[in-house]
Amino acid sequence: MTSASLPPETAPAPARRTVMAAAGAAGLAAALSACGSDDGSSGSTGTGAGAGAAGSSQDSGSPAGGKALARTSDIPEGGGKIFKDHGVVVTQPTAGTYKAFSSKCTHQGCAVGSVANGVIVCPCHNSHFSAEDGSVKKGPATRALPPAKITVSGDEIELA
């Protein structure tokens, strides 16, 4: 007696609607986890300790547990310094005034690359931000850099 070969059993194929929904969800997840957007829809802008906190402080006393970033002499007047490990950029827009902002560009999340002549520049798409208040000076970014909280005590600058 001869036996006919039977096709191997397979699991039923998923419905087209299931496949399309999964593909759409995967695409949405990829888009949301990308570097960001320039339309202000991103919910999280803070990076590192203290980023996203309002303003900066020049109080003589600093809170315990702050992380020393630099000495005031390390921050040039009209310029600034980027602290990649802490996700912040510290500027000195005018003599003796120190400000801090997230170093993550609000356009697509690149790290800003330089600070000079009162301008923070993102190298990815050439967005420019004010070293005084983080506002957009030149797009494509449409949102300001979020402020980071720092304290200045004597000649030391710390993350708050």
Side-chain angles (χ1 to χ4, degrees):
M1 168 173 209
T2 63
S3 63
S5 176
L6 295 175
E9 286 193 34
T10 59
R16 182 174 186 268
R17 182 174 288 169
T18 302
V19 171
M20 295 304 290
L28 179 61
L32 291 176
S33 66
C35 290
S37 69
D38 62 349
D39 64 0
S41 64
S42 177
S44 176
T45 56
T47 58
S56 64
S57 173
Q58 292 185 355
D59 297 338
S60 60
S62 63
K67 288 191 173 193
L69 287 177
R71 299 218 174 271
T72 55
S73 59
D74 296 336
I75 312 300
E77 185 178 344
K81 187 171 179 182
I82 300 162
F83 298 90
K84 291 180 184 180
D85 292 345
H86 299 286
V88 297
V89 56
V90 177
T91 65
Q92 184 180 188
T94 58
T97 302
Y98 300 91
K99 304 283 183 151
F101 307 96
S102 168
S103 63
K104 182 178 177 182
C105 179
T106 58
H107 173 237
Q108 288 193 346
C110 293
V112 296
S114 63
V115 186
N117 302 318
V119 178
I120 303 166
V121 179
C122 177
C124 293
H125 298 103
N126 207 29
S127 290
H128 291 196
F129 301 91
S130 167
E132 186 169 341
D133 61 9
S135 64
V136 176
K137 299 285 234 175
K138 176 183 169 193
T142 59
R143 292 176 292 133
L145 292 174
K149 180 110 174 124
I150 58 170
T151 58
V152 179
S153 179
D155 68 345
E156 193 169 276
I157 300 171
E158 294 182 348
L159 275 178

